[in-house]
Every structure is written in C-alpha cells, then in structure tokens.
Amino acid sequence: MHRWFMPINILITFIIGSALGFILVKVTRAPQHVKGLILGCCASGNLGNLPLIIIPAVCKEQGSPFGAPDVCHKYGMAYASISMAIGAVYLWSYVFNIIRVSASKMTREEHKIDESVKDTECTVDTKKLVQECPEALLPSTKRTSTDDLDELTLPLVNPDSNCQVSTWGKLKQCLTKISKKINLQSLLAPSTIGALVGFIVGVVPHIRGLLIGTGAPLRAIEDSASLLGDAAIPAVTLIMGGNLLRGLRGSGVQLSLIAGVVAVRYIFLPIVGIVVVKGALYFGLVHDDPLYLFVLLLQYALPPAMNIGTMTQLFGAGESECSVVMLWTYALASVALTVWSTFFMWLVA
C-alpha cells in the first residue's frame, strides 16, 4: 500500500481541488466561459517540471533532512517522475473533460441565443406579411380525394418495436453514451502515451533489461530519451514564461476569481494536504520516509498546470483569462513554494 499511495494522493488533490473550485465558481458567480478554467486551475497542479526542479535543489541543501545528497537525488527524481506521469494521465482524462464540457455548455447557450434572435426576426416578418397580404394566409377550401385518403391512412406499427433488449445491448448502449460524453481520445495525448510506455518499460523485467542499464543492448534508446528529457525542462519553462507575458495585457477578469484561485492553490489545498498525509501516516498507509512525505505534501502546494492554457486554446473558452490567472499564480508561486517547502521540510524532519 505504501508504494500505491502516491496515485491515490494525486487523485485526492484533483478531487478536493475541483470541489473547492466548484464552491469558488458558485460564490463568485463566474461567467460560463471561465467556469472550466477555474475548475481546472483549482484541480490540477504543475506536477511536471516544477517537482523536477525543486526536489534536486532541496537535496543539495546543507542540513537537509533527506540524508545523503546522491541518495536523495536518486529517489527524489524517481518520486518526481512517477508524480509527473500519474499527473499527466489525470490531467488529460479528468481536467480535459471538465473544460470540454464547460465549453460545450457555453456553445449551446450561444446557439440558444442565436435561435431566439432568429425566432424574433421571423415573428416580426410574419406580422408584416399579415398586414400587407392577409389573403395569403387563409386556408384553402378545396379538398381532393387524395386528402381524404391521407387522413384515413393509419400509421404502420413495427411488431418488433416492443421486443426486449438483451443485457449486452443495454451495456453497449450505456458504453456508447459514456464515450460520447467523455472524450476518450484525450487519453492519447503525447504525455499520456509517454507515461503509459514508461510504466510498461518499468514493470516488465524483460523490456527493462533491454533498455535500462549500462549493459543493456538497447541502452542508446535510454540515453536518447534522457537527453530529450533534460532539454524538455528548460524548454517547457521558457514556453511557460512566454505564455505568462500575455497575462500582462489583462482581460477584464474578476479580481475575486484570481484571489480565489490563489487562495485555493496556496492556502486551502496545502492545509488539506497536511491533514491527508498525516492521517495516512497515522493509519499506516505510508511509511515514515521524510523524502516521500515531502513529495506527497508538495503536490498540494503547486501552481496550476500549464497544459490548462493549451486546453483553453483548443476549445476557445477563457483563453485570455487563463493568461491572467497563470500570471498571478506563478508570480506568487516563488513566495508560496518557498514558505510551504520550508514548512514541509520542518514537518517531516
């Protein structure tokens, strides 16, 4: 149970964060086009590049409670990598569908407004037509024999329409409805595929022996993947900085929404994380490893995931507001992460 608590802990962060985001949306009466953005920012933290930057830096600190720096770096990077992989799966399967559903509701509301405008215009045109030519709307008094036959014609009844559907048919219909409501193609995102491939390589001993290690026959693949991974961290950080620059222009987003997201990510979620992790330690669900506990606690104090900006651009809902929210949350992340990381290190020591 100790090793499997991390995916459960990340799932708890998503569920509690989305619940707090739902409360924030109701209290602030957020517009429909930003509801998915607020729920996503409150639910998902940046489990990607930030832990890979923070944990090695913490291991190198003098007086660190995590033991020898090389051992701390080895296990810390393993914990951060698992956290990143699991977070990617949850992000593209859970948060992606939250933003998609919110954007589809916004599209339906806009469609209803357009239809109401068209109906109003049609009503006005009909009134003008009645005033100009009332004879055109009078019913015809001529009847034909074919009209009488049409009225007497009875509808055909399908004898098989009342037959019972089998259990397999009901299950198939249920799965079809679920697949339509939940976009399962989001699970084929590059980050999700990479995480699944990494799990398979790590779990299957024969594949791991071929790819991992100095004596592996295909160790060139591991070296290439490691080289690309090392370059991905600064590249993603630069992209993040470029996206935050758009937030300086502003978009008229409510100040209460920004303050609410900041409070959820940097006040309420870390407090909940302390209760959850300490409770798990008390009931024996996790072992008393300071580094492992620190990684679990850190998952509650991270800023929103940067892939939320990609999702808002994909659906065209809250794109400019996302830049503003990201700007303020990441501007305050330097202070919040420093304070909470120091407190967490004192707590697990």
Side-chain angles (χ1 to χ4, degrees):
M1 185 64 185
H2 300 287
R3 67 182 66 181
W4 294 108
F5 185 76
M6 182 172 289
I8 298 174
N9 186 68
I10 297 175
L11 181 61
I12 292 174
T13 63
F14 276 72
I15 294 175
I16 295 179
S18 58
L20 294 175
F22 180 78
I23 296 174
L24 176 62
V25 167
K26 292 298 182 180
V27 171
T28 59
R29 297 180 180 179
Q32 180 61 44
H33 69 283
V34 298
K35 287 183 179 180
L37 168 65
I38 300 303
L39 291 174
C41 290
C42 294
S44 61
N46 191 339
L47 298 171
N49 59 323
L50 282 185
L52 296 176
I53 297 173
I54 295 172
I55 293 176
V58 171
C59 290
K60 295 178 182 178
E61 288 291 328
Q62 294 182 356
S64 173
F66 307 132
D70 53 346
V71 179
C72 175
H73 184 272
K74 176 183 177 181
Y75 287 97
M77 291 299 291
Y79 294 150
S81 300
I82 296 174
S83 177
M84 177 178 61
I86 297 172
V89 175
Y90 288 161
L91 177 67
W92 288 100
S93 60
Y94 181 72
V95 179
F96 179 86
N97 285 287
I98 288 178
I99 298 178
R100 182 182 64 85
V101 171
S102 178
S104 63
K105 288 183 179 179
M106 181 189 69
T107 304
R108 286 197 297 267
E109 289 180 358
E110 292 178 352
H111 183 66
K112 289 180 181 179
I113 293 174
D114 294 338
E115 286 184 348
S116 62
V117 172
K118 290 180 181 179
D119 293 340
T120 304
E121 294 177 353
C122 182
T123 303
V124 174
D125 295 337
T126 304
K127 290 181 179 179
K128 290 182 180 179
L129 180 62
V130 171
Q131 293 175 358
E132 294 176 358
C133 187
E135 293 83 2
L137 300 178
L138 294 176
S140 177
T141 58
K142 297 181 179 180
R143 298 179 60 87
T144 60
S145 59
T146 57
D147 296 334
D148 296 334
L149 291 176
D150 292 338
E151 291 180 357
L152 295 175
T153 302
L154 296 176
L156 295 177
V157 179
N158 188 1
D160 298 332
S161 60
N162 295 326
C163 63
Q164 294 182 352
V165 183
S166 62
T167 305
W168 171 250
K170 293 180 180 179
L171 180 61
K172 189 176 181 181
Q173 292 177 0
C174 182
L175 293 176
T176 303
K177 292 180 181 179
I178 294 174
S179 62
K180 289 181 179 179
K181 292 182 179 180
I182 300 176
N183 190 359
L184 298 179
Q185 293 182 351
S186 61
L187 295 177
L188 300 179
S191 57
T192 307
I193 295 175
L196 296 177
V197 172
F199 281 131
I200 294 173
V201 172
V203 170
V204 181
H206 299 289
I207 301 177
R208 186 172 66 248
L210 290 174
L211 299 175
I212 308 300
T214 56
L218 302 177
R219 61 182 179 276
I221 298 177
E222 179 194 3
D223 296 337
S224 301
S226 178
L227 184 63
L228 292 174
D230 293 338
I233 296 176
V236 171
T237 306
L238 290 174
I239 294 173
M240 178 181 66
N243 291 332
L244 294 180
L245 287 176
R246 294 187 299 177
L248 294 174
R249 303 172 185 174
S251 62
V253 63
Q254 299 178 18
L255 185 60
S256 58
L257 290 177
I258 299 175
V261 173
V262 171
V264 169
R265 294 302 317 177
Y266 297 142
I267 298 177
F268 297 113
L269 272 179
I271 295 175
V272 172
I274 294 173
V275 175
V276 171
V277 174
K278 282 295 185 181
L281 182 63
Y282 177 78
F283 289 105
L285 300 178
V286 294
H287 55 277
D288 192 8
D289 181 6
L291 180 59
Y292 187 67
L293 296 176
F294 175 79
V295 175
L296 294 178
L297 291 169
L298 186 64
Q299 293 169 354
Y300 289 89
L302 295 170
M306 289 304 301
N307 281 329
I308 295 177
T310 305
M311 297 175 188
T312 56
Q313 293 175 7
L314 180 62
F315 296 108
E319 182 178 351
S320 57
E321 290 84 356
C322 179
S323 300
V324 178
V325 172
M326 291 294 179
L327 174 65
W328 285 103
T329 51
Y330 276 85
L332 297 173
S334 58
V335 178
L337 281 176
T338 302
V339 173
W340 282 114
S341 297
T342 305
F343 182 74
F344 292 157
M345 291 172 65
W346 172 81
L347 191 65
V348 303

